């Protein structure tokens, strides 16, 4: 049987505008909040987000993650038995396979594969499944900037779909420093090419009340940074500005995660209710019309269909 998957998306850029706090405005350049980028977004705006779960029937968990034209598909297989040479008697073995959109793997793809594996080892509760392993396959469908963040978010969504226990929610984002604008969130491929520095940041959000703000997302709290990878030249103040902006962007991703989970389970409940309703209607029709041979009514004994009497 297939599980229903419900696409979840943010309708506009403004839905993910990082305007809930002004902390990063003090760290960024004064013109960063008012500057407009080539695609019309402000510095702290992310692109449209969209995700789907349960797309692949043969995988234990799967997800599709889109940030405008950056699209990544993730699949999780396991936990399952693995080769003896890969077994770990104390924890779960995690394998990541990173597939580019076209061509063979490059050195950057292999590095992204290694970084994602090390990040997932910090998120997944590996001690709960010793001697077993999971395989996370990342397929880049199209690339238009922030691909590493898309891959991490897709992997987290696929792990959630597979029911793999985790310490929290992995939320990744990419930020860049553009000349004349300053720190920006979720850059496109052209913006990454023109930027003086680009950083991919991965955070872990956990705890807090149901439906509330995780403690690590509060302005006065220190966020748990799992991984930071940067390239280019920047000052210490610029890096701190990217880190604060990245946490705001990652929290917007967390809110999007939470909304997608709520919609997914709501769609599942609706589908299960419709299936139960159709089965009851089919049973009622069969009971009224009767069928050849034997039939058992719900909770009743086996009865045989009465043949009509033929007049002599």
């Amino acid at each position: 049987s297939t599980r229903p998957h419900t696409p979840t998306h943010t309708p506009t850029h403004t839905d993910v505008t990082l305007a809930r706090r002004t902390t990063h405005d003090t760290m960024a350049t004064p013109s960063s909040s008012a500057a407009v980028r080539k695609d019309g977004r402000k510095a702290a705006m992310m692109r449209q987000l969209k995700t789907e779960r349960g797309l692949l029937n043969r995988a234990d968990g799967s997800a599709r993650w889109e940030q405008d034209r950056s699209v990544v598909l993730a699949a999780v297989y396991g936990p399952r038995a693995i080769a003896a040479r890969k077994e770990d008697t104390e924890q779960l073995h995690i394998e990541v396979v990173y597939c580019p959109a076209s061509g063979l793997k490059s050195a950057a793809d292999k590095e992204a594969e290694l970084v994602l594996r090390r990040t997932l080892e910090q998120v997944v509760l590996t001690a709960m499944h010793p001697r077993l392993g999971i395989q996370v396959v990342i397929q880049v469908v199209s690339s238009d900037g922030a691909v590493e963040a898309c891959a991490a978010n897709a992997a987290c969504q696929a792990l959630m779909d597979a029911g793999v226990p985790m310490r929290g929610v992995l939320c990744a984002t990419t930020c860049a420093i553009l000349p004349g604008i300053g720190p920006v969130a979720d850059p496109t491929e052209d913006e990454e090419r023109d930027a003086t520095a680009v950083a991919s940041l991965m955070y872990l959000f956990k705890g807090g009340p149901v439906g509330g703000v995780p403690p690590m997302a509060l302005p006065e709290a220190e966020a748990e940074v799992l991984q930071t990878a940067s390239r280019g030249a920047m000052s210490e103040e610029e890096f701190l500005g990217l880190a604060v902006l990245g946490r705001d962007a990652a929290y917007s991703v967390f809110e999007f995660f939470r909304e997608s989970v709520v919609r997914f389970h709501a769609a599942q409940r609706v589908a299960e209710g419709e299936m139960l309703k159709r089965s009851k209607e089919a049973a009622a029709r069969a009971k009224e019309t009767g069928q050849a041979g034997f039939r058992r009514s719900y909770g009743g004994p086996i009865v045989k269909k009465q043949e009509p009497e033929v007049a002599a």
Side-chain angles (χ1 to χ4, degrees):
S1 61
T2 59
R3 294 172 296 173
H5 64 274
T6 302
T8 306
H9 66 280
T10 53
T12 60
H13 294 310
T14 55
D15 289 340
V16 290
T17 303
L18 311 179
R20 60 186 187 85
R21 298 202 300 265
T22 58
T23 308
H24 69 271
D25 292 336
T26 60
M27 303 297 297
T29 57
S31 61
S32 63
S33 59
V36 178
R37 296 145 73 174
K38 293 181 180 179
D39 56 3
R41 291 182 292 154
K42 293 184 179 180
M45 277 188 179
M46 296 182 67
R47 292 173 289 179
Q48 185 184 45
L49 302 178
K50 183 179 179 180
T51 184
E52 295 180 63
R53 288 175 56 178
L55 298 173
L56 306 177
N57 294 331
R58 295 188 178 182
D60 295 293
S62 59
R64 178 186 176 97
W65 187 274
E66 299 182 18
Q67 291 182 204
D68 201 11
R69 289 183 294 178
S70 293
V71 183
V72 176
L73 183 65
V76 173
Y77 301 89
R80 60 185 181 182
I82 56 176
R85 58 185 176 85
K86 295 182 179 181
E87 284 186 1
D88 191 326
T89 57
E90 297 181 355
Q91 61 183 4
L92 178 74
H93 174 77
I94 300 178
E95 179 184 4
V96 175
V97 180
Y98 193 96
C99 303
S102 61
L104 301 177
K105 288 184 183 179
S106 62
D109 296 330
K110 294 180 180 179
E111 181 181 1
E113 190 175 86
L114 177 63
V115 169
L116 184 57
R117 179 177 63 82
R118 291 179 175 176
T119 303
L120 294 180
E121 288 175 348
Q122 302 177 64
V123 177
V124 177
L125 296 175
T126 56
M128 297 185 64
H129 299 284
R131 296 184 179 275
L132 300 179
I134 61 172
Q135 185 183 55
V136 181
V137 180
I138 302 295
Q139 175 63 61
V140 179
V141 180
S142 60
S143 173
D144 187 27
V147 180
E148 295 84 358
C150 291
N153 293 330
C156 180
Q157 186 83 309
L159 289 170
M160 293 168 60
D161 189 51
V164 177
M166 297 184 290
R167 293 197 301 119
V169 180
L170 169 63
C171 301
T173 184
T174 300
C175 299
I177 300 178
L178 294 180
I181 298 180
V184 297
D186 192 19
T188 62
E189 190 172 11
D190 292 337
E191 289 177 334
E192 289 184 358
R193 190 181 304 111
D194 299 336
T196 58
V198 180
S200 296
L201 306 105
M202 302 182 187
Y203 298 83
L204 182 70
F205 293 109
K206 61 180 181 179
V210 177
V213 180
M216 295 181 183
L218 299 175
E220 64 275 7
E222 183 176 351
E224 183 174 352
V225 182
L226 298 177
Q227 180 71 32
T228 301
S230 62
R231 60 181 182 273
M234 55 183 154
S235 64
E236 181 179 355
E237 182 180 357
E238 290 174 331
F239 177 77
L240 293 176
L242 284 183
V244 176
L245 179 62
R247 183 176 68 172
D248 286 349
Y251 179 70
S252 292
V253 174
F254 173 81
E255 290 181 321
F256 179 72
F257 263 123
R258 182 165 54 193
E259 180 184 356
S260 68
V261 170
V262 171
R263 292 190 179 185
F264 177 78
H265 288 290
Q268 275 194 324
R269 288 192 294 269
V270 171
E272 291 174 357
E274 290 293 332
M275 185 178 298
L276 181 60
K277 180 181 178 181
R278 288 196 299 267
S279 63
K280 289 183 177 180
E281 291 176 351
R285 287 195 301 269
K287 188 175 182 180
E288 291 176 0
T289 59
Q291 294 180 351
F294 293 88
R295 96 172 252 98
R296 181 197 298 267
S297 59
Y298 288 104
I302 298 178
V303 295
K304 188 174 182 179
K305 179 182 176 182
Q306 299 292 332
E307 297 293 339
E309 297 182 359
V310 179

